[in-house]
Every structure is written in C-alpha cells, then in structure tokens.
Amino acid sequence: MPDHSQRQHHRPMRLEAAFFEEIEGGQDPALVSEAADRAAHLLVRGARRTEDPVVADRVLRLAETEGIETIAEVFSGAPADSLAGCLWRLFVLRQWVYADPGLAAREYDAGRRSAQVAQVVAGVADPPGPAELKAMVDEVLRGIAGSDFADVLFRAAAFARVVASGRASREEVSDPEVQRMLLLSEQLEAAGHQELAGTLG
C-alpha cells in the first residue's frame, strides 16, 4: 500500500448530506462509475474471502488513509442499490459518528424508546455513550470483511433508524436532518434485502 505518512490534513466536508450531492469534475462519469463498481466488489466480495484481520482493519480505515474526499469522488455518485453506494453510506455513517460521537450518542439514546426493535438489531452496548457508538460502528464496518454483508447493512440501517427517531424527538433538529438519516436507514435496509436475494450489484 502507498505510504500516507506525509499526507496533508484533509479539508473538512459535510458528511451526512454529502451523498445527496453530485460530485462535479472533469472526469468521465462512466469511468468513475466503473472504477467505483470494481473497487466496491474487491472490497466487499474480495475481503470476505479472507480471514485476515489486517484486511478488515484496512477496510475499516479506508476513509482515514485515503481521505473521505477520495472516497466521495469514487463512491458518492453510485446508486443506493449498488455495492459502491452501500459502501459510501457506511463510510458516511462512520465518519459522522467519529466527527461528533457525543452528539451521535445523544441522538441514539433519544431514539431508543421509540425504535426498540431497531435498537436490538443495531447492537449498541448499554448505556450508549460516545465510546460505545464508535465501537459499534467500527464493528459494523469490520463486518464487511468478516461477516455476512447483509448483516452489516441491516445493523447500519437499524442504527440510522434509531438516530432518526432520536432526532425527531428533539425540537432543535430540523425535519430535513431527520429525513436524511431516515432515508439513509431505508436505503441500507433495502440493500440488505437485495443482498439476501442475491441481487445487490
């Protein structure tokens, strides 16, 4: 792998809404789409063929080593029902938790009462503090290499649904913020069902 020790600090970007935005640039969209599809298949299908924990850790930390901007350029334009689109949404979710784990914990905790089934599926330790949220989202992403990918998608979808419920209970949170997280949950859940059916491409 390339040496990223000299990599400059990445500029910040708005994470959660970013997958709604079109990535503009001079590259051929068809080539970017093809590259995203190939990379996603290697990451998901290839990583699951090995039991090497180093591979799982590399997948987990891909956004840190390559930069979330690079991940966005390759994956963010992919449809939600594709492997590349699923990876983008999973990385967005992890980056959001890591950007403000305290807020993530508060919103998750606020949604537990109204989304009890989703809470069980998400599998966050109780009480759901910042450290527990980070541990859960890391465990989910490591599952890309070591678990059934459908399970990864269902756990992430359940987590996002609990957070959306928590947001809906807070007066200071706008409706679009609730809807964005709810949409993310619905997309990941639908992709999980497609994975079970063998139609997620």
Side-chain angles (χ1 to χ4, degrees):
M1 290 188 66
D3 180 10
H4 297 285
S5 60
Q6 304 301 317
R7 188 180 183 89
Q8 294 182 355
H9 180 72
H10 306 304
R11 66 185 185 280
M13 72 177 295
R14 290 176 295 133
L15 295 171
E16 189 184 324
F19 61 84
F20 291 99
E21 299 172 359
E22 180 180 357
I23 300 299
E24 298 180 357
Q27 299 185 51
D28 184 341
L31 293 178
V32 173
S33 177
E34 182 180 351
D37 185 62
R38 286 182 181 177
H41 275 81
L42 285 172
L43 283 170
V44 176
R45 307 306 186 202
R48 284 174 56 196
R49 295 193 186 103
T50 177
E51 296 181 359
D52 187 349
V54 175
V55 173
D57 198 59
R58 285 180 178 174
V59 173
L60 170 68
R61 305 197 183 283
L62 188 64
E64 295 172 11
T65 58
E66 299 301 326
I68 192 66
E69 299 90 351
T70 302
I71 303 296
E73 288 172 5
V74 178
F75 291 148
S76 66
D81 59 351
S82 67
L83 286 175
C86 290
L87 285 177
W88 171 238
R89 285 153 179 80
L90 291 170
F91 282 120
V92 164
L93 204 56
R94 182 179 187 268
Q95 289 295 112
W96 173 72
V97 169
Y98 266 73
D100 194 342
L103 173 63
R106 289 192 299 275
E107 292 190 338
Y108 183 88
D109 188 45
R112 291 196 298 164
R113 296 173 192 83
S114 55
Q116 294 183 5
V117 174
Q119 175 196 343
V120 172
V121 175
V124 179
D126 192 13
E132 287 75 19
L133 267 288
K134 290 168 70 174
M136 185 282 303
V137 77
D138 281 355
E139 182 184 346
V140 169
L141 260 73
R142 281 195 180 94
I144 292 172
S147 302
D148 188 312
F149 192 54
D151 290 341
V152 170
L153 296 171
F154 286 136
R155 282 193 70 188
F159 172 74
R161 185 168 295 276
V162 176
V163 170
S165 296
R167 286 185 176 184
S169 69
R170 299 175 60 207
E171 293 182 0
E172 68 272 23
V173 177
S174 67
D175 187 62
E177 291 178 278
V178 175
Q179 293 303 317
R180 277 198 298 268
M181 190 60 76
L182 185 59
L183 176 63
L184 178 59
S185 172
E186 292 171 347
Q187 289 174 331
L188 289 169
E189 183 176 358
H193 288 295
Q194 286 183 288
E195 176 72 1
L196 287 178
T199 60
L200 183 63

